[in-house]
Amino acid sequence: MTLPYFDAAAVREAAPWTTAIAALERALLNGVDPEEDSPRIFSPAPGGEFLLMPAMGQHYSGVKALTVAPGNPARGLEKIQGIYMLIDSDTLAPIAVMDGNELTAIRTPATTLLAAKHILATAPGGAPEKPRVLVFGAGIQALNHLRAASAVFPEASFAVVGQRPERVKVLVEKLASEGIEVRPASAAGVSGADVVLCTTSSLTPVFDGGLVAPGTVVAAVGQHGLDAREVDTSLVLRSDVVVEGRASAWREAGDLIPARSVEEWKTIRPANLRELVKGEFERTPGRPCLYAGVGMAWEDLVTAALVYEGGTRP
């Protein structure tokens, strides 16, 4: 069997930010239900673990196969590596393979900015014309979230907070070369931000949730797992909450649990991404809004299908 392979450059070219965001939005409006998404599968691997994310759809299905190697960064290698296999849903035959890292690097910020755009649009006082966007993190997800935010909010101002000044400097210079102006900032900057995007690998909160102003949109998307949190309990308890999917949040959203128990969240029943996009979510005046995302397989499938149908095949 010979399958077309879409490398990182081909994936990137086929899924520019506004195109990827629009594809995710269409999928949600046309019947994709995050609550039906397949759970992530974890399995031990030498020095790390395997991470498998299957998803099925009417025309295409697929599975993302990743490896997580915590020791790789010390070797100058990526911690997470992998591929995506796209499958024809009718025959269940594989039809393409593509770079899994680049697919993840696109679908995650595309999903986050889809959520942030819709949440900001529901602000009781109206969305700011020139939002102030603050990003925590200086890795590939921070870089791509800033790129995606620039595409969605072209009039916005951008700032970034990172633990290592040298990495922040590299990120700022990289984006400047692409025409995106970003300034270094501190965690105290959350008090003046309209949108806060958390894209870190931190296991503990990265800022004081009491500093977040009413009306601010905070997206915590850098981590998955009940032992990891980027935001503190005070922010969770004082915020409206939107989740990618309720079932996935109960399994993996450490930002929400144990701030409240799963039983409490089930009673509250926060809106999921589909309900947000369909206009079924209302903000509470005077409260921030927290979006909690852990990454879901349906997003990979939608983005992979976009690449396959629009990409340049070898």
Side-chain angles (χ1 to χ4, degrees), residues 87-133:
I87 295 167
D88 179 89
S89 288
D90 182 38
T91 64
L92 293 186
I95 54 177
V97 180
M98 56 193 70
D99 186 285
N101 281 37
E102 191 64 28
L103 195 71
T104 304
I106 291 170
R107 65 83 152 143
T108 303
T111 305
T112 304
L113 269 297
L114 172 63
K117 178 184 73 169
H118 281 274
I119 294 171
L120 207 60
T122 63
E129 292 184 7
K130 298 181 178 181
R132 297 161 294 182
V133 178

Side-chain angles (χ1 to χ4, degrees), residues 49-196:
E49 65 181 348
F50 294 109
L51 177 56
L52 304 177
M53 298 179 66
M56 62 180 182
Q58 182 179 1
H59 302 294
Y60 303 109
S61 295
V63 60
K64 185 166 69 174
L66 301 177
T67 55
V68 183
N72 270 3
R75 305 177 183 178
L77 300 173
E78 293 290 337
K79 176 182 176 181
I80 300 175
Q81 303 186 57
I83 59 170
Y84 193 88
M85 181 171 64
L86 189 65
I87 295 167
D88 179 89
S89 288
D90 182 38
T91 64
L92 293 186
I95 54 177
V97 180
M98 56 193 70
D99 186 285
N101 281 37
E102 191 64 28
L103 195 71
T104 304
I106 291 170
R107 65 83 152 143
T108 303
T111 305
T112 304
L113 269 297
L114 172 63
K117 178 184 73 169
H118 281 274
I119 294 171
L120 207 60
T122 63
E129 292 184 7
K130 298 181 178 181
R132 297 161 294 182
V133 178
L134 179 66
V135 174
F136 282 82
I140 187 63
Q141 282 297 343
L143 176 67
N144 279 342
H145 273 77
L146 282 159
R147 286 168 169 162
S150 177
V152 172
F153 304 123
E155 299 299 317
S157 60
F158 302 102
V160 62
V161 181
Q163 286 188 320
R164 294 164 54 187
E166 65 276 12
R167 292 192 72 191
V168 171
K169 182 174 183 291
V170 170
L171 181 148
V172 168
E173 291 176 350
K174 172 65 175 172
L175 289 169
S177 72
E178 300 173 11
I180 302 172
E181 182 179 347
V182 181
R183 62 176 180 82
S186 70
V190 297
S191 63
D194 299 302
V195 178
V196 178

Side-chain angles (χ1 to χ4, degrees), residues 206-276:
V206 295
F207 59 85
D208 178 354
L211 297 176
V212 176
T216 299
V217 178
V218 179
V221 299
Q223 282 281 34
H224 65 267
L226 297 181
D227 60 346
R229 48 195 50 86
E230 295 180 285
V231 299
D232 62 18
T233 296
S234 68
L235 179 65
V236 176
L237 297 181
R238 60 185 284 254
S239 298
D240 292 330
V241 173
V242 177
V243 296
E244 226 170 353
R246 284 180 286 273
S248 61
W250 311 158
R251 290 191 299 265
E252 298 186 27
D255 287 304
L256 302 183
I257 302 162
R260 286 191 174 99
S261 68
V262 172
E263 290 71 25
E264 289 177 289
W265 283 118
K266 286 182 177 180
T267 299
I268 295 169
R269 200 177 184 275
N272 67 23
L273 194 56
R274 183 187 186 196
E275 292 156 354
L276 172 68

